[in-house]
Amino acid sequence: MPRKVDYGFRYEDDNYDVYEDYDYDYADDYDYEEEENGIAPVTKAKQEASRTGVWRCPICTYDNENSMSACDICGVLRNPLVKVNNKGDTAAAAFKFDAPSPDDLVSNGLRSVKSKSKGEDSRGRGTNFLVESELAANGLVSSSTSVTRERHNGVEENDSTSGSGNKPETFNTRMDTESLPSKSGKARSIIERKTESISQYIPEKWMTPNNKDDGLSQLNLAIVGHVDSGKSTLSGRMLHLLGRISQKEMHKYEKEAKQQGKGSFAFAWALDESAEERERGITMTVGVAFFTSRKYHVVLLDSPGHRDFVPNMISGATQADAAILVVDASMGSFEAGIDAIGGQTREHAQLIRSFGVDQIIIVVNKMDVVEYSKERFDVIKQKLGTFLRSCGFKDSSILWIPASAMENQNLVANPSEARLSWFKGPSLLDAIDSLQLPERDYSKPLLMPICDVIKSQSQGQVTACGKLESGAIRTGSKVLVMPSGITATARSLERDSQLCNIARAGDNVTVNLQGIEGNQVTAGGVICHPDYPVQVTNRLQLKILVLDISTPIVMGSQLEFHIHHAKEAARIVKILSLLDPKTGNTTKKSPRCLLAKQNAIVEVVLQGPVCVEEYSSCRALGRVFLRSSGRTIALGIVTQVIKREE
Ligand code: GTP
Ligand code: MG
């Protein structure tokens, strides 16, 4: 997930002129003459670019370096369709590993997305996701699989086995005695690593928080919703109102946006930094920014709403503790978002729920367009509320906020607009402060999935970004970087763009690593405790819930496999059993195919190895999404990590 924005330390207000004529009323300023919903007209996608050394993504048409196995922008795999032999052979050998060169693994972080080519139109297909609660209802997630979290409040309580059910975790499938393949295809040296059982893990005292000294906690807040609903504008406006974007910067965005005939996107430009995003008027990669509320250091994850960029949305929003779902109140726009075919309001709500997020703020945005009508708000609340309940959100965990990002109504203060005086609830900022932090997994060893890597060639520094899913890290900690298997030292840490000494489970940080090369740290990898390496494999057993699909899943079906920030081409090599959705009991062994809404146990082989844990041991590293042709076709959890196939 390319991380492209950092509003942590940009206060260059000296020398700035006060622009008294600054005009935030862009309502008349829409510029849709060339675009529908902010999407550029269809451009004929070519499979391969004429430029040598690059391949053109068939979905977004970005020219990727030949060595990239997945599109750098929209995440679509280059060669997802791998030939299967007609016996439905289970071997992984059919995969052709498309190895990137070390140079291309340099940085998934602040690499420029500024020269991307125009994208093709969307595919117009909808996705119907089922959510974690439904997984539970369908017997996919039993209540016993929930990660035990009650023992994080004291270092003396040192038995931390709980998450893996009752069976002791032995890590017998870890890569401790094998040679690890690198993405460059070269075998790494054999790692003779002693792995410990998690049951023996005792967190050190500094690893558990001390509420007196720790200050505000971080809240990872995903901003999701249908394309063009105003997510980036809302995010940019909040950052500006809370002083994270200076007046000078804001004026610059406004001026440049107007010059390009995109005046209404000035606030969105704070988040949409690349030339292509600005030209197309859509977010393509997740924007990350920070602000401080009364209660939290908020990490804003501004997701793309366009369906071509769902893989990026998954990678960003998978870190969310809570979410803001932005809907467009305008007539027809809300309806498009909630539409069963192609509506991203629906898709994002379902995805967010399946990430385990249960607290959601619904911002009914663009209320200015509907004259701040209470009737319109009520209709939206009623229709969307019914849908959210069907996704498993509880009424008590949903907050409804009518707002206008454009006219600054109900964002950081109660509305000044008389037509909104009927609303007596909290402002958006107050609503954010009313969210509760999920429990954090302090009692287990460090696991930090890497969402971005930034390499500064001039200074020879390698920095990994991501959210700690469990454990803690501090300056000077020795860490193991997987899947390369290299031990490095955390030279420095940053949280909320400020240097810090310690980061713990739940914190979204950048870790500056020492003693490791840039090509040994990859997005989709995991930073872990040296004695408790994450498992690495290309073969997994999954419990899946098939979504609304029209083509059955059969043995040999080719899929895109998504797990935390990693994605790989995958193939179904075994369909072991069908499960009763209510009891989870096996109803049929070895069925020939899987149909919509069926629950099943399957085995998949991946094109390349991924870092993974069983869901019962670490939810964030054991939750998978299977996609095909731009649609999510199944949700699942990892039930067994099978020894890696060579
Ligand atoms: P994607 O990231 O591409 O999904 O879009 P988005 O949800 O981030 O929408 P964005 O912020 O780019 O805004 C899309 C358009 O809606 C822009 O022209 C904004 O000016 C406009 N817009 C956003 N909020 C409001 C609002 O409160 N009122 C009105 N009238 N327009 C708004
Ligand atoms: Mg956006």
Side-chain angles (χ1 to χ4, degrees):
M1 180 200 76
R3 166 187 298 237
K4 58 194 179 186
V5 181
D6 189 340
Y7 282 102
F9 46 97
R10 286 198 200 172
Y11 291 95
E12 314 145 337
D13 274 34
D14 39 306
N15 284 339
Y16 90 72
D17 305 316
V18 179
Y19 294 97
E20 293 185 333
D21 59 343
Y22 192 69
D23 174 19
Y24 291 119
D25 183 6
Y26 301 107
D28 301 329
D29 207 358
Y30 284 8
D31 179 28
Y32 287 124
E33 61 282 314
E34 297 170 0
E35 302 181 4
E36 192 185 302
N37 285 335
I39 302 162
V42 179
T43 53
K44 194 166 183 294
K46 291 179 190 158
Q47 285 295 323
E48 295 292 331
S50 48
R51 249 186 338 119
T52 49
V54 298
W55 61 275
R56 179 159 292 179
C57 174
I59 300 300
C60 72
T61 70
Y62 175 60
D63 288 343
N64 292 279
E65 297 298 320
N66 252 344
S67 48
M68 298 294 291
S69 55
C71 175
D72 200 15
I73 289 299
C74 67
V76 164
L77 291 159
R78 182 180 185 184
N79 294 318
L81 294 177
V82 185
K83 280 212 173 78
V84 195
N85 70 32
N86 48 17
K87 292 178 207 140
D89 190 59
T90 61
F95 287 124
K96 182 174 145 284
F97 190 71
D98 194 15
S101 75
D103 290 348
D104 300 304
L105 299 171
V106 165
S107 161
N108 292 303
L110 293 177
R111 83 188 128 200
S112 167
V113 284
K114 293 188 187 338
S115 58
K116 315 297 188 203
S117 54
K118 285 238 179 208
E120 93 174 288
D121 205 355
S122 49
R123 289 176 294 276
R125 271 167 285 182
T127 311
N128 189 13
F129 296 90
L130 296 179
V131 295
E132 193 164 84
S133 59
E134 288 177 67
L135 286 169
N138 285 291
L140 279 179
V141 182
S142 73
S143 51
S144 61
T145 61
S146 60
V147 178
T148 304
R149 290 158 163 159
E150 59 274 8
R151 286 183 294 106
H152 61 262
N153 50 357
V155 281
E156 293 74 25
E157 295 169 327
N158 51 30
D159 175 3
S160 52
T161 53
S162 45
S164 52
N166 292 328
K167 89 182 149 64
E169 178 110 25
T170 55
F171 292 94
N172 55 2
T173 58
R174 284 167 205 259
M175 307 290 291
D176 45 357
T177 54
E178 299 172 32
S179 60
L180 287 160
S182 70
K183 279 271 183 183
S184 61
K186 293 175 200 142
R188 296 200 184 285
S189 57
I190 303 249
I191 300 172
E192 296 288 351
R193 186 173 305 285
K194 272 196 185 165
T195 59
E196 307 284 340
S197 160
I198 281 188
S199 61
Q200 280 149 29
Y201 177 72
I202 304 172
E204 293 169 42
K205 194 157 186 180
W206 62 269
M207 295 178 170
T208 45
N210 171 354
N211 290 335
K212 279 186 220 126
D213 308 339
D214 287 341
L216 298 182
S217 303
Q218 263 192 346
L219 177 78
N220 296 285
L221 192 56
I223 318 289
V224 299
H226 194 63
V227 65
D228 250 357
S229 53
K231 299 175 293 296
S232 304
T233 304
L234 180 82
S235 305
R237 179 67 106 161
M238 293 288 284
L239 293 170
H240 182 244
L241 290 168
L242 295 168
R244 307 305 287 197
I245 300 175
S246 71
Q247 197 75 350
K248 182 185 173 188
E249 271 176 307
M250 201 55 241
H251 182 76
K252 189 168 149 271
Y253 293 139
E254 187 209 10
K255 208 169 124 196
E256 289 171 0
K258 272 193 173 154
Q259 273 167 5
Q260 284 197 28
K262 298 269 182 203
S264 71
F265 285 89
F267 285 107
W269 277 29
L271 281 294
D272 296 339
E273 285 201 320
S274 76
E276 184 163 17
E277 286 180 313
R278 291 176 173 187
E279 194 187 328
R280 294 178 64 182
I282 59 168
T283 303
M284 294 160 83
T285 57
V286 175
V288 184
F290 308 95
F291 69 79
T292 304
S293 69
R294 273 184 297 279
K295 209 167 143 196
Y296 297 119
H297 287 305
V298 178
V299 181
L300 270 189
L301 303 157
D302 174 38
S303 311
H306 192 290
R307 65 172 72 87
D308 281 353
F309 305 107
V310 169
N312 289 346
M313 179 269 175
I314 292 175
S315 174
T318 190
Q319 304 170 86
D321 299 320
I324 297 179
L325 175 65
V326 182
V327 297
D328 181 341
S330 329
M331 299 306 292
S333 299
F334 165 72
E335 287 72 14
I338 198 78
D339 189 75
I341 303 191
Q344 257 66 49
T345 303
R346 180 181 276 266
E347 177 173 356
H348 282 198
Q350 290 166 324
L351 265 177
I352 272 289
R353 187 67 193 92
S354 66
F355 294 148
V357 169
D358 54 10
Q359 302 172 85
I360 192 160
I361 299 173
I362 311 298
V363 172
V364 182
N365 189 33
K366 306 197 189 180
M367 285 296 288
D368 53 293
V369 179
V370 294
E371 306 289 334
Y372 296 96
S373 156
K374 180 174 184 315
E375 287 67 40
R376 178 68 176 156
F377 178 76
D378 288 342
V379 166
I380 290 172
K381 187 172 172 182
Q382 193 268 324
K383 283 192 187 155
L384 186 54
T386 308
F387 173 70
L388 292 174
R389 276 188 293 278
S390 78
C391 291
F393 288 102
K394 289 191 195 128
D395 275 343
S396 56
S397 305
I398 308 174
L399 285 161
W400 296 87
I401 310 286
S404 168
M406 191 59 72
E407 297 193 345
N408 182 18
Q409 291 301 321
N410 216 9
L411 302 181
V412 299
N414 292 331
S416 56
E417 167 62 57
R419 289 173 294 171
L420 199 48
S421 58
W422 52 264
F423 182 69
K424 304 292 177 212
S427 67
L428 177 57
L429 192 62
D430 288 338
I432 291 171
D433 269 336
S434 72
L435 296 169
Q436 299 300 313
L437 280 184
E439 300 272 355
R440 308 294 196 195
D441 229 344
Y442 304 117
S443 62
K444 288 197 185 147
L446 171 69
L447 281 177
M448 180 186 132
I450 302 169
C451 75
D452 278 314
V453 183
I454 304 162
K455 189 181 166 195
S456 152
Q457 263 156 352
S458 54
Q459 293 165 28
Q461 287 185 0
V462 187
T463 304
C465 311
K467 177 187 170 197
L468 273 71
E469 294 298 344
S470 63
I473 186 170
R474 67 176 166 183
T475 314
S477 292
K478 286 259 180 282
V479 293
L480 181 67
V481 180
M482 296 296 272
S484 64
I486 307 288
T487 305
T489 306
R491 181 157 56 184
S492 62
L493 298 173
E494 265 184 34
R495 192 182 43 212
D496 308 316
S497 297
Q498 309 279 348
L499 279 175
C500 65
N501 288 326
I502 300 176
R504 302 191 180 90
D507 286 343
N508 207 313
V509 290
T510 58
V511 185
N512 193 309
L513 294 165
Q514 197 172 27
I516 194 160
E517 299 292 320
N519 60 0
Q520 293 166 332
V521 189
T522 50
V526 173
I527 291 181
C528 39
H529 187 298
D531 296 332
Y532 300 90
V534 68
Q535 306 193 65
V536 180
T537 190
N538 63 353
R539 194 173 185 116
L540 296 157
Q541 190 191 79
L542 310 173
K543 212 184 249 190
I544 62 167
L545 187 57
V546 182
L547 304 179
D548 274 343
I549 51 168
S550 44
T551 313
I553 297 176
V554 293
M555 246 178 24
S557 286
Q558 309 288 334
L559 307 161
E560 283 171 28
F561 175 92
H562 295 255
I563 188 162
H564 52 91
H565 308 295
K567 55 182 174 285
E568 281 295 337
R571 189 154 53 84
I572 304 276
V573 292
K574 280 184 193 167
I575 304 180
L576 294 160
S577 54
L578 275 183
L579 304 175
D580 181 302
K582 293 216 168 69
T583 62
N585 295 337
T586 301
T587 54
K588 186 172 181 185
K589 287 205 166 149
S590 308
R592 288 167 64 88
C593 64
L594 296 177
L595 307 173
K597 296 191 166 63
Q598 284 187 326
N599 301 307
I601 305 275
V602 299
E603 217 171 281
V604 292
V605 168
L606 314 178
Q607 184 167 350
V610 292
C611 297
V612 60
E613 287 292 334
E614 280 151 21
Y615 182 84
S616 56
S617 166
C618 178
R619 287 180 173 206
L621 275 89
R623 197 181 269 131
V624 305
F625 302 88
L626 302 179
R627 306 192 89 232
S628 173
S629 309
R631 292 187 61 186
T632 303
I633 60 163
L635 306 174
I637 58 173
V638 177
T639 46
Q640 201 188 332
V641 179
I642 302 169
K643 196 165 170 62
R644 190 169 67 92
E645 290 193 354
E646 296 302 326

